[in-house]
Amino acid sequence: QVQLVESGGGLVQAGGSLRLSCAVSGRTFSTMGWFRQAPGKEREFVAAIRWSSENTYYADSVKGRFTISRDNAKNTGHLQMNTLKPENTAVYYCAAFIPYYSGSLYRTATYDYWGQGTQVTVSS
């Protein structure tokens, strides 16, 4: 089992920044991802990181504005979000899967463990 707890969400104005955190416990995993879901929409991929290599992957819509990272000593992942836009408003989830070869890290179905989500609201 892997347990994940997100924190750091809140209300920010357009153009502002926010840093989300995901504290992890339990079994060693290969990959952490961030997804978001706006009301009435499908959950979509935001970013992912291979925990060991620190290779990172981003949705085109956030590339250059968001940065995913890890703090291995604290078993915590982070998503730094800069230049936020109102359309970034959503519940943000961190997720993880254990085997490196589980599947595409861009797809929700690949992830076996999910946090509870944290609300990010960007006002115009």
Side-chain angles (χ1 to χ4, degrees):
Q1 291 292 117
V2 179
Q3 296 82 43
L4 308 100
V5 179
E6 304 98 331
S7 62
L11 174 64
V12 297
Q13 293 187 358
S17 298
L18 209 58
R19 183 157 122 127
L20 306 183
S21 298
C22 179
V24 185
S25 61
R27 296 171 61 191
T28 301
F29 59 93
S30 70
T31 308
M32 175 182 287
W34 286 92
F35 293 78
R36 64 189 177 195
Q37 188 166 24
K41 296 187 177 181
E42 296 288 328
R43 190 167 300 185
E44 67 174 357
F45 172 81
V46 176
I49 184 168
R50 299 289 196 185
W51 208 252
S52 181
S53 69
E54 298 186 271
N55 287 342
T56 57
Y57 309 83
Y58 296 95
D60 288 343
S61 61
V62 307
K63 192 172 296 183
R65 297 189 297 118
F66 290 14
T67 303
I68 188 170
S69 63
R70 68 160 172 86
D71 183 342
N72 196 47
K74 297 181 178 180
N75 282 335
T76 301
H78 300 282
L79 184 68
Q80 178 68 44
M81 305 185 294
N82 297 329
T83 319
L84 283 161
K85 306 173 182 179
E87 55 262 44
N88 299 146
T89 294
V91 177
Y92 283 69
Y93 299 88
C94 66
F97 60 85
I98 294 173
Y100 184 91
Y101 50 83
S102 288
S104 172
L105 49 73
Y106 297 95
R107 302 187 71 242
T108 60
T110 304
Y111 294 78
D112 299 304
Y113 306 99
W114 293 84
Q116 82 287 353
T118 186
Q119 177 71 46
V120 172
T121 303
V122 185
S123 62
S124 59

